[in-house]
Amino acid sequence: MTNLFSSTTQKNSSPVECLGQAFPSEQVRREHFTKLLAEKLKDPAFRKIEGFPQGTDEAILAMSDPPYYTACPNPFLEDFVRHYGKPYDPSVKYSREPQTIDVSVGKTDPLYKAHSYHTKVPHLAIVPSILHYTEPGDIVLDGFGGSGMTGVAAQWCGSAPSVYRHELETEWKKQGKAAPKWGARRVILNDLSPAATFIAANYNLPFDVEAFAKAGKQLLKNVEQELGWMYETTDKDGKTKGRVEYTVWSEIFTCPHCAGEVNFLDEALDDDTKQVKGTFPCPHCGADLNKDNLDRVMESRVDPATGSAWKRVKFRPSIIFYDVGGQRRQKTPDQSDLALLERIDALPFPSGLPANRFPIEEMYHGSRIQPKGFECIHHFFLPRSAHATAALWRKAEAEPDARTRQMLIFFVEQALWTASLLNRYRPTGFSQVNQYLTGVYYVASQHAECSPWYILDGKLGRLAKTFQAFRPAAGWATVTTGTAARIPTLDSSVDYIFTDPPFGENIYYADLNFLVESWHQVRTDAKPEAIVDKFKKKALPEYQHLMQRCFAEYYRVLKPGRWMTVVFSNSKAAVWNAIQVALQQAGFVVAEVTALDKVQGSYRQVTSATAVKQDLVISAYKPNGGLEDRFNRNGATVESAWDFVQTHLKQLPAVKVTSGYPQELLNIVERDPRRVYDRMASWFIRHGAMVPISTPEFLSELPVRFREMDGMVFLPDQLVEYEKARSRIPQVKQAELFVSDERSAIDWLTNFLLKRPSTRAEIHPEYIPQIGSAKRKGEIIPELDQLLEDNFLRYDGTGDVPSQIHSYLSTNHKDLRSLEKSSPALVAKAKDRWYVPDPNKAQDLEKKREKALLKEFDTYRSFTGRKIKESRLEVLRAGFRAAWAAKDYKTIISIANKLPEETLQEDEKLLTLYDLALTRTEDGI
């Protein structure tokens, strides 16, 4: 890895190079770009950029380290890409298959744990993908960068230890893959949150580790000299001084029987088991109590920041854990301890402690904290913690060296959640640090108020050791703060995208980051946040459109023919469909979706929205420029459809093998003929063009133009590769098929009858269990008899036995082998068996079925009620397709408005056509 500084430990007086410019020292470099950023911040148009954070020029400059990191949209990002990137060259050959990743790998790695964040994909889970899709020096983008793990992974590709390299190369060799090209990749990290990008920048920009460790020790020492007296206590012997590690505070309730005050911790905690008792007696009247029948006490106080009246839940100290001569001891607070706390409580409001009010009315968690009296940042800190945390922050900000200062703040801000009332007391926990509930603002009835040394002493040493091993280099990462819908860089300039975007309403990032960002005084602009949040008036459609804009920006900056990996974590089918539609509308083509089975430690391919219960990895690509150019020249012709299929099949893996033993070949879902048709159809629809070939025509022509085996479609050279694997591993593991709607019911019957042409009596007991809990609410699945009649053929005993049935019977019944197709014995056994028709007859059936579906759609069109509570999905799909072909967008919108929300949102095809119809109507097309 080339380091533009001669060493991360060199002095600021050494010459440096940055974006092609030479500077006599690092300090001069920083001053130069800081001045340029300060001038840019004065531009009103710059500050009006969507997603621009809320903060003063001074606060933004204090967080930033331009040109590598800005706590606002990075005006130097385009220069970074021009200087280090390679322009897109269509003559350079590039070909990759989708890469599967394990998102649970590396969560115990010290580098992963160096700074917490609400959600993180470990860098060790990202490294293999970056190695697979890119070359050393390529540019990787993560527009939802969070804490910057994609950047760590990109640089780690050049500094991975030999043991790791050997393990990965051995694993790839087993899979038949060539060894990766080791070497760092450059990275662009973007996030809407300044709190996130500050973490990402400090993970990925170089600093003097030794200077940081020394300054950190001095920082903790200075705070102890100033405020150590606040954490002194006298041992139970009455004379020996000890230092408080943490004090346990309990919420105070009142007994509903006698109105006496009840210290919850004192009365409810079992000293032996360290568990909260189910019931316990009132200390005053002896009545049986539990937490549900206690009344909360609201204590009247004076707000230390405003001097106004303030009511908050009442807390009292119950246990003090302290250190005497290296031994941990505990005691009940005595009079001197209580007097000390009163003395601290009477001190003036600490300088530097933020008093920002939370946007309660726009917060999902507002109803959790406001009734308990917590509306402002300072409300979450008890007086002693408020003084200690403010002192840590002030002294960190006073560090003269800019990079050391940023790392000290990076170090100190990790204490904020633990130092606040959000930190729960966990009697059975090894440590009381980081005991807050993740992803939520929740003040528990027991709080562990930890001293700054208890929180940070060990952390300092671990950070120094971690960054001694991983030393990021200058010029390899650039960090920008803003919406992923507007990344300030060039078209077709990025070589690969790895991203873990927010999914639905899983995590409320802007709300959760408000606490830390208030200390920085630079806060997230939540308006463009891609999230489902009723308090911000963002439902699933708003989320989908925000994500679509972000994916469209990804599409713009990614080079043609290159890949994007999307990590998805949401169990709701509607959110999954919103993501798929957003991807397709942006122009991406999905090549593979895999689900990590954390129990089995293996992957399975996703075949149904109902299977979205685990972490998913979506592999999607931007079609190469040649395909787009040919489409623009030739239009929506049948040959354009086959051109897409040819290009798409090249992107799909030829062979997938299970990781277990014995190995099995995986059925590759994306090679299923119907799935290939769906991808092709979506591509044409996204381009505003009619699909030039019908499903039956496509399915009939597909095996003529390409190769089929085991129900999958291949290019000739891919089939050779698959057959080689098939000869070594004869067992093919079929994809799971969930019957959740009419289409999947037809697919299940097709698979069943292909293997085993059967009578209705034989089919029924196998089929019925498949349509149990997976059936969607409000979805009408026709009866088995209708499904068979509309989609399959039944041999009535007239004429020769169809070859499909003959092949099955002669294989499975010895007495029927070598018989003529007209043999009475064979005819008798074959009579009344249903089978899958050959392609020519299938086309006729499909046309007949389509006509019947459209006739039924007319009943939905004429429906006059408010909501169509139950519907056939296949009818809606056929009707929407016909309306789209006729450019009858109003019908699509009208019917969609009559459907239950989940019917529309849980079907990708309906959602796509509805979304496009809305767009066409709004654009006046």
Side-chain angles (χ1 to χ4, degrees):
M1 184 189 297
T2 304
N3 189 344
L4 296 185
F5 301 123
S6 61
S7 151
T8 57
T9 59
Q10 70 183 35
K11 302 300 180 185
N12 280 340
S13 58
S14 302
V16 295
E17 182 189 340
C18 180
L19 300 184
Q21 299 181 58
F23 296 94
S25 69
E26 175 64 3
Q27 183 177 342
V28 174
R29 186 275 304 171
R30 183 173 283 108
E31 289 173 353
H32 171 78
F33 285 104
T34 299
K35 182 181 179 183
L36 292 178
L37 179 59
E39 292 170 357
K40 191 72 175 174
L41 288 169
K42 300 298 182 189
D43 180 359
F46 181 58
R47 275 190 162 272
K48 287 180 182 177
I49 291 174
E50 182 185 22
F52 202 99
Q54 300 166 1
T56 64
D57 292 4
E58 293 73 22
I60 290 171
L61 291 169
M63 288 185 78
S64 303
D65 187 6
Y68 302 120
Y69 165 52
T70 59
C72 62
N74 193 332
F76 311 104
L77 180 56
E78 189 171 316
D79 295 333
F80 180 92
V81 172
R82 286 185 190 280
H83 186 69
Y84 293 118
K86 292 168 283 189
Y88 170 62
D89 183 353
S91 67
V92 176
K93 292 190 69 175
Y94 175 88
S95 179
R96 297 290 192 280
E97 290 184 351
Q99 165 80 8
T100 298
I101 72 161
D102 183 344
V103 296
S104 66
V105 166
K107 289 193 174 181
T108 59
D109 186 87
L111 198 50
Y112 174 84
K113 295 168 70 176
H115 199 301
S116 61
Y117 195 61
H118 315 296
T119 56
K120 297 171 78 172
V121 176
H123 66 287
L124 291 177
I126 307 171
V127 168
S129 288
I130 293 178
L131 290 170
H132 173 79
Y133 288 112
T134 65
E135 305 280 332
D138 279 357
I139 293 181
V140 178
L141 166 67
D142 187 350
F144 296 95
S147 60
M149 291 297 98
T150 301
V152 172
Q155 296 201 59
W156 210 76
C157 289
S159 60
S162 57
V163 173
Y164 176 86
R165 296 185 185 214
H166 175 72
E167 288 176 356
L168 187 133
E169 288 176 1
T170 302
E171 179 60 30
W172 282 23
K173 189 175 182 180
K174 285 181 186 176
Q175 298 173 15
K177 292 175 61 174
K181 293 182 180 179
W182 297 98
R185 278 68 168 165
R186 300 189 192 275
V187 68
I188 299 168
L189 298 170
N190 173 81
D191 201 276
L192 190 64
S193 162
T197 56
F198 184 77
I199 299 170
N202 284 287
Y203 254 122
N204 284 280
L205 301 183
F207 66 97
D208 187 326
V209 180
E210 291 78 9
F212 160 69
K214 183 178 179 181
K217 288 180 181 177
Q218 189 61 47
L219 169 70
L220 293 177
K221 184 178 178 181
N222 291 345
V223 172
E224 183 165 21
Q225 289 173 347
E226 181 181 333
L227 301 179
W229 61 271
M230 293 185 176
Y231 293 90
E232 286 183 356
T233 189
T234 304
D235 189 28
K236 287 185 284 189
D237 65 10
K239 53 185 178 181
T240 309
K241 292 293 184 183
R243 184 166 79 170
V244 174
E245 291 188 334
Y246 59 93
T247 300
V248 182
W249 294 71
S250 173
E251 188 175 353
I252 304 299
F253 297 90
T254 58
C255 172
H257 305 284
C258 69
E261 285 198 350
V262 179
N263 182 309
F264 183 77
L265 193 74
D266 290 352
E267 306 303 329
L269 184 67
D270 189 308
D271 290 334
D272 296 325
T273 65
K274 301 301 182 185
Q275 301 292 324
V276 173
K277 302 170 188 174
T279 61
F280 50 91
C282 171
H284 308 291
C285 68
D288 283 343
L289 302 176
N290 59 58
K291 194 172 182 182
D292 293 334
N293 65 13
L294 290 171
D295 296 323
R296 173 165 284 129
V297 176
M298 298 299 289
E299 180 180 41
S300 295
R301 300 177 62 87
V302 175
D303 189 312
T306 64
S308 58
W310 170 38
K311 281 194 173 183
R312 186 200 72 186
V313 289
K314 190 174 184 178
F315 281 97
R316 289 291 179 267
S318 287
I319 316 170
I320 295 176
F321 289 83
Y322 58 102
D323 179 274
V324 174
Q327 292 185 334
R328 176 175 294 176
R329 299 181 184 178
Q330 71 177 76
K331 59 181 265 193
T332 301
D334 55 32
Q335 285 302 314
S336 62
D337 296 315
L338 298 175
L340 176 64
L341 292 173
E342 287 182 7
R343 177 186 166 194
I344 297 168
D345 198 10
L347 292 173
F349 189 75
S351 171
L353 178 66
N356 307 61
R357 184 182 183 274
F358 280 91
I360 297 287
E361 296 75 18
E362 298 176 4
M363 286 176 62
Y364 179 82
H365 298 129
S367 60
R368 288 178 177 268
I369 58 177
Q370 189 179 36
K372 294 184 179 182
F374 301 102
E375 293 192 8
C376 302
I377 297 296
H378 65 284
H379 291 169
F380 281 88
F381 295 86
L382 293 175
R384 179 165 53 186
S385 286
H387 284 279
T389 311
L392 284 167
W393 196 271
R394 282 197 313 273
K395 293 179 186 302
E397 286 188 319
E399 164 62 39
D401 179 74
R403 260 321 267 129
T404 302
R405 177 170 64 250
Q406 289 180 327
M407 280 305 299
L408 286 177
I409 295 171
F410 174 87
F411 166 58
V412 167
E413 71 175 14
Q414 298 188 62
L416 295 178
W417 279 68
T418 297
S420 76
L421 277 164
L422 298 164
N423 197 54
R424 300 168 296 159
Y425 172 52
R426 300 289 299 279
T428 56
F430 170 75
S431 167
Q432 297 305 318
V433 176
N434 296 338
Q435 295 298 341
Y436 48 85
L437 277 177
T438 57
V440 64
Y441 286 112
Y442 172 68
V443 179
S445 295
Q446 306 91 42
H447 163 59
E449 182 207 9
C450 303
S451 79
W453 309 281
Y454 181 79
I455 301 171
L456 293 174
D457 261 340
K459 187 71 176 178
L460 180 63
R462 290 191 297 273
L463 277 178
K465 183 178 179 181
T466 298
F467 281 99
Q468 283 285 8
F470 173 72
R471 287 180 177 258
W476 290 88
T478 184
V479 185
T480 178
T481 309
T483 173
R486 190 187 183 284
I487 297 169
T489 190
L490 306 166
D491 294 355
S492 302
S493 59
V494 169
D495 297 292
Y496 171 57
I497 296 171
F498 184 97
T499 194
D500 176 24
F503 284 104
E505 51 192 330
N506 280 10
I507 301 288
Y508 301 89
Y509 291 94
D511 290 353
L512 293 171
N513 285 328
F514 190 87
L515 189 148
V516 173
E517 290 175 354
S518 292
W519 286 83
H520 286 286
Q521 295 299 331
V522 183
R523 293 180 295 280
T524 300
D525 173 14
K527 288 192 291 293
E529 184 180 23
I531 193 172
V532 175
D533 187 344
K534 64 181 181 181
F535 289 89
K536 293 182 175 66
K537 296 180 173 54
K538 293 180 181 179
L540 198 57
E542 286 76 23
Y543 166 75
Q544 178 189 320
H545 293 143
L546 284 165
M547 284 305 307
Q548 187 172 316
R549 291 185 58 220
C550 295
F551 284 139
E553 186 71 343
Y554 276 163
Y555 188 89
R556 179 185 70 81
V557 302
L558 186 65
K559 291 177 180 176
R562 296 302 187 107
W563 288 86
M564 175 171 72
T565 299
V566 183
V567 178
F568 174 91
S569 301
N570 192 298
S571 61
K572 293 185 178 179
V575 177
W576 167 232
N577 282 318
I579 285 295
Q580 290 196 95
V581 170
L583 278 167
Q584 289 170 175
Q585 295 286 69
F588 285 101
V589 181
V590 175
E592 187 172 71
V593 181
T594 52
L596 172 64
D597 186 335
K598 292 179 179 176
V599 176
Q600 299 293 330
S602 62
Y603 289 89
R604 59 183 182 80
Q605 291 178 300
V606 175
T607 60
S608 167
T610 58
V612 184
K613 297 185 186 340
Q614 295 148 306
D615 288 332
L616 302 184
V617 179
I618 306 166
S619 300
Y621 64 89
K622 177 179 178 177
N624 62 44
L627 176 66
E628 294 284 347
D629 290 343
R630 291 190 297 275
F631 175 79
N632 290 333
R633 284 199 307 270
N634 303 325
T637 65
V638 172
E639 285 309 310
S640 295
W642 295 118
D643 188 11
F644 172 88
V645 173
Q646 176 85 18
T647 303
H648 182 56
L649 290 177
K650 284 180 183 177
Q651 302 284 34
L652 305 183
V655 178
K656 295 289 285 186
V657 181
T658 58
S659 55
Y661 182 83
Q663 284 188 317
E664 294 177 294
L665 282 176
L666 278 169
N667 183 287
I668 300 168
V669 175
E670 290 294 331
R671 290 191 177 276
D672 178 87
R674 283 188 177 275
R675 185 65 72 97
V676 174
Y677 179 83
D678 286 345
R679 296 299 182 206
M680 180 273 296
S682 295
W683 191 77
F684 275 86
I685 290 169
R686 183 257 166 185
H687 282 76
M690 290 308 308
V691 181
I693 184 169
S694 69
T695 304
E697 291 168 333
F698 180 87
L699 296 177
S700 174
E701 182 75 9
L702 194 65
V704 177
R705 291 178 177 260
F706 302 97
R707 304 289 184 267
E708 283 199 70
M709 188 173 188
D710 293 334
M712 296 179 285
V713 187
F714 297 90
L715 298 174
D717 58 329
Q718 292 174 333
L719 184 61
V720 171
E721 185 182 346
Y722 181 75
E723 286 177 328
K724 285 180 182 177
R726 191 80 160 78
S727 64
R728 291 186 293 105
I729 310 170
Q731 186 64 38
V732 179
K733 183 180 177 66
Q734 294 298 319
E736 299 174 59
L737 191 59
F738 296 84
V739 176
S740 59
D741 54 31
E742 185 175 345
R743 180 71 260 166
S744 55
I746 295 168
D747 291 343
W748 186 92
L749 288 167
T750 301
N751 288 345
F752 181 84
L753 293 175
L754 278 171
K755 299 173 190 171
R756 184 177 147 195
S758 305
T759 65
R760 194 241 186 230
E762 292 169 334
I763 299 167
H764 187 265
E766 300 282 348
Y767 170 74
I768 291 302
Q770 302 296 324
I771 59 170
S773 60
K775 180 179 175 294
R776 290 173 177 166
K777 182 181 178 182
E779 164 69 7
I780 298 173
I781 299 179
E783 293 296 328
L784 176 60
D785 290 335
Q786 186 179 343
L787 288 171
L788 291 171
E789 189 68 37
D790 290 349
N791 300 282
F792 305 97
L793 296 176
R794 181 177 64 86
Y795 175 58
D796 61 3
T798 303
D800 289 350
V801 174
S803 58
Q804 297 95 318
I805 301 177
H806 176 253
S807 175
Y808 167 71
L809 291 178
S810 62
T811 302
N812 291 277
H813 297 270
K814 292 181 180 179
D815 57 326
L816 299 179
R817 290 176 186 169
S818 304
L819 296 181
E820 294 293 326
K821 290 184 179 179
S822 58
S823 165
L826 185 65
V827 169
K829 192 72 175 177
K831 189 171 184 298
D832 290 329
R833 288 181 183 270
W834 290 92
Y835 63 98
V836 179
D838 63 42
N840 291 328
K841 290 182 180 177
Q843 285 189 57
D844 294 336
L845 271 178
E846 189 79 22
K847 289 174 183 176
K848 173 188 169 186
R849 180 170 177 271
E850 188 84 0
K851 188 175 180 180
L853 292 172
L854 290 175
K855 186 176 180 181
E856 190 171 339
F857 183 73
D858 285 338
T859 65
Y860 296 168
R861 198 196 299 260
S862 59
F863 178 80
T864 56
R866 290 186 62 191
K867 287 291 179 183
I868 303 172
K869 293 182 179 178
E870 289 193 324
S871 56
R872 277 180 70 187
L873 197 53
E874 287 299 292
V875 170
L876 292 170
R877 287 171 173 172
F880 276 33
R881 284 195 302 268
W884 175 261
K887 297 186 178 180
D888 183 5
Y889 307 131
K890 288 184 179 178
T891 290
I892 295 174
I893 296 168
S894 172
I895 298 294
N897 290 336
K898 296 176 186 178
L899 295 172
E901 198 172 272
E902 58 269 20
T903 300
L904 189 67
Q905 291 175 346
E906 292 186 7
D907 186 74
E908 175 194 339
K909 295 181 178 68
L910 295 182
L911 193 59
T912 298
L913 290 168
Y914 170 67
D915 192 63
L916 283 166
L918 278 178
T919 303
R920 294 290 189 278
T921 303
E922 290 166 359
D923 292 344
I925 297 175

